[in-house]
Amino acid sequence: QVHLVESGGGLVQAGGSLRLSCTASGSKFSINAMGWHRQTPGKQRELVAAITSDGSTNYADSAKGRFTISRDNAKNTVYLQMNSLKPEDTAVYYCHCRTVVAATYWGQGTQVTVTS
C-alpha cells in the first residue's frame, strides 16, 4: 500500500497561518497528482486544493487567495500553506495522491482548529 504521512496541523487563532505537509511512500507507480481535502463531522469531504506533476493547480473558492499548494515531485511531497485562517477552516485535512494507473490513496488526516 501507499502510505501518506501528514504533518503541520494544530491550533491557531483566526488570521494566523499553518503549513501542512504530506509525503507519499511505497507506490509502485508514478504519482501524477496530490492534494488536500477537508471534512467536518456530518459534512461531505470537500476539495481544498490539488496539484498535478506538471504544476497545474485547482483550489476551492474558499481557499483562493489565502491558500497555496506546492509540490516536490522528486520527494512525492505536497505542501499547503494556509494564511489568513478563519474559524470556518476548522476541519480534519486529508492528504491524497493519485497514481498513473488511477489509484487514489488517502492519509490519516490532520486536525486544523482555528479559534475566533
Side-chain angles (χ1 to χ4, degrees):
Q1 293 216 49
V2 175
H3 291 89
L4 299 171
V5 180
E6 301 144 314
S7 64
L11 180 67
V12 65
Q13 287 187 315
S17 298
L18 287 172
R19 189 188 188 214
L20 307 183
S21 64
C22 174
T23 298
S25 62
S27 179
K28 299 291 185 180
F29 303 94
S30 297
I31 295 170
N32 59 13
M34 299 186 73
W36 298 88
H37 284 65
R38 66 187 180 189
Q39 187 169 26
T40 300
K43 294 185 177 181
Q44 198 87 24
R45 185 176 297 183
E46 64 177 356
L47 173 72
V48 179
I51 186 168
T52 63
S53 58
D54 66 0
S56 297
T57 58
N58 186 31
Y59 294 93
D61 287 342
S62 61
K64 292 177 181 177
R66 299 188 298 126
F67 296 1
T68 302
I69 190 167
S70 60
R71 181 180 179 182
D72 185 333
N73 291 335
K75 298 179 179 179
N76 282 329
T77 298
V78 64
Y79 305 93
L80 185 67
Q81 179 67 46
M82 304 188 293
N83 298 325
S84 302
L85 283 163
K86 304 174 181 179
E88 50 263 44
D89 294 318
T90 296
V92 178
Y93 284 69
Y94 295 91
C95 177
H96 73 266
C97 70
R98 188 176 72 245
T99 70
V100 294
V101 294
T104 301
Y105 300 90
W106 296 90
Q108 79 285 352
T110 184
Q111 178 70 49
V112 171
T113 302
V114 184
T115 60
S116 60

